[in-house]
Every structure is written in C-alpha cells, then in structure tokens.
Amino acid sequence: MTGKIFFVLVIFMTFLPAAQAMAISDEPGAPGPWVVLDDVIAVIADEAVLLSDVTMEHDLGLLEPASGEKGFEALLKPYLNRLVIIREAEEIGSFSLASGQVQEAYSGYLSRFEDEEAFEVKLKQWGIDEQEVITRLVRALTASLYTESRIQFFIGVLPSEIEQA
C-alpha cells in the first residue's frame, strides 16, 4: 500500500496530557513510521476536540482569547464553552438565527481581511473552503446569541447593549 497513510487514533491518557492523532506512512522520506497529525485536547459528548480546530479558529479570527488570560488556555476555555453551549442550543432545538444575522455577521467577518485574496490564502493555508468558515461563524454566533438570550432573564442590560453604548 505504497503512498497511503493509515490513520490511527492513539490515546495515552495515562501517559500524555492529551491524546494524539497519528499516522503510519510507508512513503519514502517520511519522518519515521509515526507522524503526529493532531492533538485531542478534550472530548465533549463522545466528540473529540482537536488542537487544530482551536488553532484554526483563532488564526481565522473566529475565536478570541478569554479576557485577561494569556497562552493556550485563554483560547481553550472560550472554545470549549462554545461547544458546550452549542450542544445545549441543539438539544433545545428551538433556537435559530435569522438569515439576515448570518449575512451581516459574515460581511463583518470578511471586512477583517485586506482583500478577497488574503481570505483565499487563509482558506488554502488551512485546507478548507468558504462554507466551512461560514459554518464555524454560524456556530460562534449561535453560541453568543443563545448565551445572550439566556442571561437576559437575569440582568437588565445585555452585553451587546453595553458594547453599543
């Protein structure tokens, strides 16, 4: 099976702080028989959370670090919180975004890039397409708006209103 890569998820939770997704390669010049492809940094409801997802979302500007914190944990906490919130919103099932909200958020997101070419370079760098970015943006927006709708019962002024003021 020359030139093929076989993926194996190796979990050494007792030996390593995070599991690693590794590959065996029989390609000439490959760096040894095992190559680390990704790290599993958490598991939420039987779904692996990969280091590459956190890194990609931060690099694409879809994930901001937790305020006042530095390092990887400043990214990990809001990302994991987002995943848990999205699961809750999916379980409830009645929460959805209006198409106008998605279009407005996506237009605002694209304005972060100098031009369309800079955006295309990022997509190519991560090996994803525009639809993947939109899906991730929608998930982030859903988590944010769902959280806002849940806390409006507890406080009189919403975070979005504070930002607008």
Side-chain angles (χ1 to χ4, degrees):
M1 299 197 187
T2 305
K4 301 226 177 182
I5 294 178
F6 300 96
F7 295 99
V8 178
L9 180 62
V10 179
I11 302 178
F12 294 109
M13 294 307 284
T14 56
F15 302 109
L16 298 175
Q20 294 180 328
M22 304 180 92
I24 300 174
S25 175
D26 58 354
E27 293 181 18
W34 292 93
V35 178
V36 175
L37 298 176
D38 212 339
D39 287 319
V40 178
I41 54 176
V43 177
I44 297 178
D46 298 332
E47 185 178 329
V49 179
L50 302 176
L51 174 63
S52 62
D53 287 331
V54 176
T55 306
M56 176 177 35
E57 289 209 11
H58 178 63
D59 187 46
L60 291 170
L62 297 170
L63 179 64
E64 298 297 323
S67 61
E69 294 185 35
K70 293 186 180 186
F72 179 70
E73 283 198 24
L75 295 173
L76 185 57
K77 285 179 183 179
Y79 187 77
L80 293 177
N81 286 340
R82 178 189 300 167
L83 294 180
V84 170
I85 291 166
I86 289 168
R87 286 220 178 264
E88 181 180 325
E90 288 172 351
E91 286 175 11
I92 290 173
S94 63
F95 188 83
S96 62
L97 302 174
S99 63
Q101 287 175 308
V102 174
Q103 290 294 68
E104 183 179 334
Y106 189 61
S107 295
Y109 170 76
L110 289 177
S111 70
R112 297 177 180 201
F113 295 93
E114 294 174 19
D115 53 22
E116 191 173 322
E117 186 176 327
F119 179 62
E120 293 294 327
V121 166
K122 282 288 185 193
L123 294 179
K124 191 171 186 174
Q125 175 186 355
W126 286 102
I128 59 174
D129 62 5
E130 183 179 21
Q131 188 57 49
E132 177 69 19
V133 173
I134 292 170
T135 300
R136 289 173 180 268
L137 181 66
V138 166
R139 290 177 67 175
L141 183 60
T142 299
S144 176
L145 293 178
Y146 178 76
T147 301
E148 194 171 282
S149 73
R150 298 279 295 166
I151 64 173
Q152 82 184 85
F153 296 109
F154 299 109
I155 60 172
V157 180
L158 296 175
S160 62
E161 293 170 347
I162 294 170
E163 289 174 10
Q164 288 174 357

